[in-house]
Amino acid sequence: MSKQTYRVCFCFRRRFKMTAGEAPDEIKKLFDEYSENGIMNPDHLQRFLIDVQKEVNTTRDDAQNMIERCTNELKHLNIFHRKVLNLEAFFKYLFSDLNPPLESLGVHHDMSAPLSHYYIYTGHNSYLTGNQLSSDCSDVPIIQALQRGVRVIELDIWPNSSKDNIDVLHGRTLTTPVELIKCLKSIKEYAFVASDYPVVITLEDHLPPNLQAKVAEMVTSTFGDILFSPGPECLKEFPSPESLKKRIIISTKPPKEYLKTKDVPKDGESESQKEKNSGNNKETSAWGREVSSLKGGTVTDYKQDLDDDSNDEEDTEDGDPKSTESSHYIAPEYKSLIAIHAGKPKGGIDACLRVDPDKARRLSLSEQQLEKAVLTHGKQIVRFTQKNILRVYPKGIRFDSSNYNPMIGWTHGAQMVALNMQGYGRSLWIMHGMFRANGGCGYVKKPDFILKPGSDDEIFDPKVRLPVKTTLKVTVYMGEGWYYDFHHTHFDAYSPPDFYTRVGIAGVPADTIMKKTKTLEDNWVPAWNEEFEFPLTVPELALLRIEVHEYDMSEKDDFGGQTCLPVSELRRGIRAVPLHSVKGEKYKSVKLLMGFEFV
């Protein structure tokens, strides 16, 4: 063993283990203040939990129980004595899973309002295992999405090669198909493992009437009584998630529209090819590019009108019912399955956003169409989504299954902001953060101000800067766990890593920002001890973004973990924040110790 290698190994052994001596000064001061003779008993802990952690209803018994839980769960550390906490035990408790950053509230939003009053966890091309052009189609990503809590599954249905059955695939690409019946059976099996609230299946239908009838038979035989089928007519108002618990809902366009439009390219293919030929590059480096926003955008940034964008994914304009070809071939049993009717009326964006008091429907816009529309029709979009459902989907050139900024849709009331769940990256991290709220049930109630009806002056406009409602103070104390979860040469071959943390807000444009700590060199247990303030004008829509990276002078910085948390459910005080991988999987050991305060 060389001397250099020996020094590196010695450094690793010496530095990887977090000890009380590495506790930040603030933590040591708090322990001194809330302990006596180096010991924190239940009375001391109760006072700490009330004063610092703002757990104002904590009793002495609660504090005693917490110490007992610490004794049981952290007993392998041999730092607990007589069921009281010393500094090291207190430090370990703060850094443990017993001290999470979010309130454990379960499902606590009002779930009795119409579906249109909720953000819904929505997937795009839910059957794809990878990219949009050549990956396999499978029920596995559908199962994985449902296990995560996704509530809207998209299936593209096409005739199989022999034209006698139905496949699910991304049409006019090299993706390999999977049988529809296999997807339906998997949906039934896994629909409610993560949440009891309804699952919506959006069908992108490319079938002739005889196969539509076969779909109807498959759907009804697979789902039976759990299928919600209100009949062939549009609902006047959508039912509530509470009333639809453990139900399956079908959403698509009524068949008459497909008879005229079934050959329209999928996912904006013409537009995709046009953009590709014009030299536009697809996004690279899934997590490396920051999430785009509409900050500073103007109408001239989006020169085409919505009317010109005829290559959208599913909602080509509805025709006159009287002139629909071969209407007598429509499969009535298929039409009666559709609970959420989709469609795009003639007349451009104004017609699309017209609210019919007698019908509740679904409209789909591509991410580009939405970006164009919010610049000129932002308030109309918000008003439309108070009664109707707006679905947003990725542009066609995202061949790599990358994603767009979901906040643009959410801040305008869009319920179904569809992302590629296999795409990873910052946009999907934000989505994971949004749906950690409300017990992770897949439905998050929209704030009242987005649902408030009224004149244009009274409708919420996310582009208008409002007064600051509250300021979130975030302290990044320190981090640990990389030594356990990463190979010891993962970041640098010959020295400990150089970590920094990025922390910021995803929300309305006025609140959106990212900041970063200093970079700490050569440390597996970095202690930044830096405080940041985030004035929030719309805290109800704010998500706290957290990322850790390792600085690399010569190459792209290495990824060290991320998470995103709903500000509305943050626990005040000093909390242990678990970090996740690029794919959103929770690390076993990697955490940050952070402080949260609202002023």
Side-chain angles (χ1 to χ4, degrees), residues 344-356:
K344 183 178 292 179
K346 287 184 176 180
I349 186 64
D350 290 304
C352 287
L353 298 176
R354 190 169 295 128
V355 177
D356 187 333

Side-chain angles (χ1 to χ4, degrees), residues 435-453:
F435 291 102
R436 287 189 174 102
N438 199 28
C441 74
Y443 286 80
V444 173
K445 185 81 158 50
K446 294 196 281 188
D448 289 342
F449 56 78
I450 287 188
L451 298 168
K452 180 182 177 183

Side-chain angles (χ1 to χ4, degrees), residues 2 156 161 251 254 268 311 338:
S2 70
D156 289 59
S161 57
S251 178
N311 301 314
I338 304 170

Side-chain angles (χ1 to χ4, degrees), residues 60-255:
R60 188 185 186 281
D61 286 343
D62 294 333
Q64 178 69 59
N65 290 336
M66 181 58 71
I67 290 177
E68 290 176 0
R69 289 181 67 189
C70 289
T71 302
N72 291 331
E73 296 193 24
L74 303 177
K75 59 186 176 183
H76 62 285
L77 298 172
N78 297 319
I79 55 177
F80 291 89
H81 309 282
R82 301 186 307 279
K83 295 188 178 180
V84 293
L85 305 181
N86 60 16
L87 174 59
E88 190 165 0
F90 175 68
F91 186 33
K92 292 287 187 181
Y93 153 66
L94 288 179
F95 238 126
S96 75
D97 292 336
L98 298 174
N99 186 36
L102 295 180
E103 299 282 1
S104 301
L105 300 173
V107 177
H108 59 282
H109 293 179
D110 174 14
M111 303 301 285
S112 62
L115 286 177
S116 57
H117 289 205
Y118 300 84
Y119 301 117
I120 311 174
Y121 206 170
T122 302
H124 174 256
N125 288 354
S126 304
Y127 49 86
L128 286 179
T129 57
N131 68 64
Q132 304 285 310
L133 296 179
S134 60
S135 66
D136 292 335
C137 302
S138 169
D139 63 332
V140 172
I142 295 172
I143 293 169
Q144 292 171 339
L146 291 169
Q147 288 173 328
R148 183 177 276 278
V150 172
R151 298 290 86 191
V152 182
I153 299 295
E154 180 189 24
L155 303 177
D156 289 59
I157 49 179
W158 294 79
N160 67 354
S161 57
S162 57
K163 310 297 183 185
D164 62 354
N165 211 331
I166 303 100
D167 280 339
V168 173
L169 76 156
H170 196 193
R172 302 184 179 90
T173 67
L174 300 177
T175 55
T176 56
V178 59
E179 289 185 345
L180 173 63
I181 189 63
K182 186 174 184 180
C183 296
L184 296 179
K185 287 180 177 179
S186 292
I187 291 172
K188 181 181 181 182
E189 183 176 355
Y190 290 92
F192 306 111
V193 296
S195 170
D196 286 345
Y197 289 95
V199 168
V200 180
I201 303 174
T202 59
L203 296 176
E204 298 303 318
D205 181 351
H206 307 271
L207 302 174
N210 65 309
L211 289 183
Q212 289 175 344
K214 192 162 188 174
V215 170
E217 180 185 345
M218 284 184 187
V219 169
T220 52
S221 62
T222 301
F223 297 118
D225 292 341
I226 68 171
L227 183 68
F228 175 68
S229 300
E233 300 303 319
C234 267
L235 294 165
K236 185 173 182 178
E237 182 177 75
F238 293 122
S240 70
E242 189 66 33
S243 69
L244 294 171
K245 270 187 170 180
K246 295 198 171 182
R247 304 294 293 275
I248 301 292
I249 304 169
I250 303 298
S251 178
T252 187
K253 288 190 297 184

